[in-house]
Amino acid sequence: MMPQIRILEKAIAEAKNKGFLGKNILGTGYDLELYVQPGGGAYICGEETALLESLEGKRGNPRIKPPFPAIAGLYGCPTVVNNVESIAAVVPIINEGGEEYAKVGVGRSTGTKLISAGGNVKNPGVYEIDLGLPVEEFLYSEEYCGGIANGKRLKAVVAGGSSVPILPANLFLKTITGEPRLMSYESLAEGGFVSGTMMGSGGFIAFDEDQCIVRNTWNFARFYHHESCGQCSPCREGTGWMEKVLHRLEHGHGKMSDMDLLVDVSKKIEGNTICPLGDAAAWPVASAIRHFRDEFEWHVTNGAEAVTRNYGIAHYADPLPKPEPAAS
């Protein structure tokens, strides 16, 4: 059994012994039981209806909605599905009040957010940040990531997990209009998918100048091909095609037409599946080609060399050109 499950079950037992769970909690007449049900580790079961199917002992395939789980969920009963981070936020909201809790953060991004920082940073780990923290402070201050490891330069960032668009260093640190980015839902999304990304799950990955974007994109595609439940043809077939094309690009056998082919396949997957896993597979591929196309093309024109070394940082960390002033 995973140690996290043992810790949680121990906490539940302690709560029951204190009278905070079970029958007639603290004499109020209110009953509440908590159970821990381990899953099999399938990524697709992060989708709420696939999770419910798995809890019922079935294969973890997402359901067609409607009906939504709040109407017909587990065993056909109304069910609320939340992640642990959302439930944890309830405590300060109840204790301090919604207005007080909303003072933390910025704009519509209120409260805190757990960020799992990894990749080429000095201080990888899980950090609880106030939403609205400047991305430069999060990445470079010793309180958080501590900068890029081994004195290297930042090349690219995946800000919110493998499914969100990857950004080159210059577009991550500042928006296309030159404004410093913040660790908030609105700031990271500024520019849309053309020049922005998403907060997503908070899975933060920094890439230094020695990392290969083509290889990373292929790795993401392998993951989504493996984790697709196979229920929807665009996802089942499309993820496999993207993995194969990216494999040949990474291993020196690519063609110039492959980049447009990948973009075309990603468009045919996006928005055409029962659950968002198809979108999650398409977005990192499309964004990698959008922002790092010259690196992909270099893998085609220098196939043998691309197998032995990486493209480097190129212009991805160069300051963004100043926006032209609006015509009066």
Side-chain angles (χ1 to χ4, degrees):
M1 184 185 294
M2 292 174 64
Q4 295 91 334
I5 295 174
R6 286 198 296 269
I7 292 168
L8 185 53
E9 289 189 330
K10 180 183 177 184
I12 291 171
E14 290 173 355
K16 290 194 78 167
N17 289 336
K18 294 284 188 180
F20 298 147
L21 285 174
K23 302 292 184 182
N24 191 27
I25 296 173
L26 300 177
T28 61
Y30 179 71
D31 303 338
L32 178 65
E33 299 288 350
L34 284 184
Y35 302 93
V36 180
Q37 176 61 53
Y43 181 82
I44 191 67
C45 289
E47 196 280 333
E48 59 181 1
T49 60
L51 177 66
L52 296 175
E53 289 285 287
S54 180
L55 284 169
E56 291 179 5
K58 305 171 191 171
R59 194 172 189 270
N61 282 4
R63 300 173 183 173
I64 294 175
K65 295 179 281 192
F68 292 92
I71 303 299
L74 188 64
Y75 301 115
C77 300
T79 306
V80 176
V81 182
N82 278 309
N83 63 41
V84 175
E85 191 174 8
S86 297
I87 294 170
V90 171
V91 176
I93 292 170
I94 295 296
N95 288 344
E96 302 166 20
E99 277 190 31
E100 194 65 28
Y101 183 79
K103 290 178 183 177
V104 178
V106 60
R108 295 174 60 194
S109 295
T110 56
T112 64
K113 175 70 179 167
L114 292 173
I115 305 293
S116 175
N120 304 121
V121 294
K122 287 182 184 175
N123 307 324
V126 178
Y127 299 95
E128 184 175 13
I129 66 166
D130 290 354
L131 286 167
L133 180 76
V135 297
E136 196 161 0
E137 182 179 345
F138 178 70
L139 184 59
Y140 289 106
S141 77
E142 288 300 325
E143 185 179 356
Y144 301 107
C145 296
I148 307 304
N150 303 315
K152 301 287 186 178
R153 297 176 67 195
L154 177 69
K155 178 177 181 178
V157 169
V158 171
S162 60
S163 64
V164 309
I166 188 172
L167 289 180
N170 49 18
L171 276 176
F172 173 69
L173 295 171
K174 292 189 177 181
T175 67
I176 195 69
T177 58
E179 295 295 318
R181 279 204 200 269
L182 308 177
M183 295 292 286
S184 72
Y185 294 98
E186 293 79 26
S187 181
L188 288 174
E190 188 171 331
F193 279 9
V194 174
S195 61
T197 183
M198 298 163 65
M199 175 75 78
S201 64
F204 184 96
I205 310 169
F207 299 91
D208 71 22
E209 59 195 89
D210 295 334
Q211 303 311 310
C212 176
I213 301 302
V214 177
R215 184 172 184 80
N216 176 72
T217 309
W218 169 51
N219 196 38
F220 282 176
R222 289 168 61 203
F223 171 78
Y224 284 109
H225 182 209
H226 181 268
E227 294 298 329
S228 172
C229 74
Q231 186 175 193
C232 305
S233 298
C235 182
R236 181 185 66 245
E237 301 299 324
T239 53
W241 295 345
M242 290 196 300
E243 181 193 346
K244 289 174 185 175
V245 175
L246 285 161
H247 177 274
R248 73 182 183 218
L249 279 165
E250 167 60 15
H251 291 86
H253 308 297
K255 300 178 288 187
M256 278 297 182
S257 59
D258 284 343
M259 280 67 81
D260 289 336
L261 175 60
L262 285 167
V263 172
D264 184 57
V265 172
S266 72
K267 287 179 179 177
K268 287 180 169 59
I269 299 172
E270 183 182 355
N272 293 309
T273 55
I274 290 173
C275 88
L277 189 140
D279 296 348
W283 291 340
V285 174
S287 63
I289 294 171
R290 182 184 308 118
H291 297 301
F292 301 90
R293 191 179 187 107
D294 48 353
E295 182 164 347
F296 281 83
E297 291 175 349
W298 180 81
H299 272 251
V300 175
T301 57
N302 300 271
E305 188 180 359
V307 176
T308 59
R309 78 171 184 90
N310 293 325
Y311 185 62
I313 197 166
H315 55 86
Y316 304 132
D318 292 350
L320 293 169
K322 291 184 178 180
E324 295 290 330
S328 56

